Amino acid sequence: MEIPKEEFDKLTRFPIIVYFGDFISDGHSDHPSTDYWYATREMARHFARIVNEHGGACTVFSLSEIGLKGNTHFIMSDLNNKEVAEHIEKWLEDKGLNR
């Protein structure tokens, strides 16, 4: 299914942020659930590249890659939710959205 250009262009009009928690492999796995999250993160990165190539501002963060460890897919329910919130707040500030 092809998305009409005018619909896709809407994605370039506002910043997009995507977060992933821990325990996602760095490559394909024989375990379906692990492989699912690896593929999902790679698709999110691909989505971000395409949006950004068309003038958008999409950022994908893997929390473990930025030094925040121990996160599930409920990142605001984990014990380090304050650090995650501070990271989100900094991103909002960088995008001029913290007003």
Side-chain angles (χ1 to χ4, degrees):
M1 178 177 135
E2 189 170 321
I3 298 172
K5 182 174 177 358
E6 60 274 2
E7 288 298 309
F8 179 84
D9 286 346
K10 290 178 185 178
L11 296 172
T12 65
R13 295 186 188 139
F14 53 88
I16 300 169
I17 190 169
V18 180
Y19 279 96
F20 287 91
D22 269 349
F23 312 112
I24 299 174
S25 66
D26 291 329
H28 288 287
S29 167
D30 293 333
H31 302 286
S33 63
T34 303
D35 203 44
Y36 169 82
W37 285 110
Y38 166 76
T40 300
R41 186 181 60 196
E42 291 306 301
M43 286 304 296
R45 289 175 174 165
H46 181 66
F47 169 81
R49 278 191 300 275
I50 292 170
V51 168
N52 294 341
E53 285 172 4
H54 290 86
C58 183
T59 308
V60 176
F61 287 108
S62 184
L63 291 175
S64 61
E65 291 174 2
I66 60 172
L68 296 174
K69 307 245 184 224
N71 293 90
T72 65
H73 59 278
F74 294 107
I75 62 174
M76 295 313 293
S77 296
D78 294 319
L79 296 176
N80 66 349
N81 60 11
K82 183 178 181 211
E83 289 84 1
V84 173
E86 288 169 350
H87 192 272
I88 294 169
E89 183 177 37
K90 170 92 172 71
W91 182 86
L92 289 168
E93 182 179 309
D94 291 346
K95 300 297 179 191
L97 300 171
N98 62 330
R99 296 181 201 119

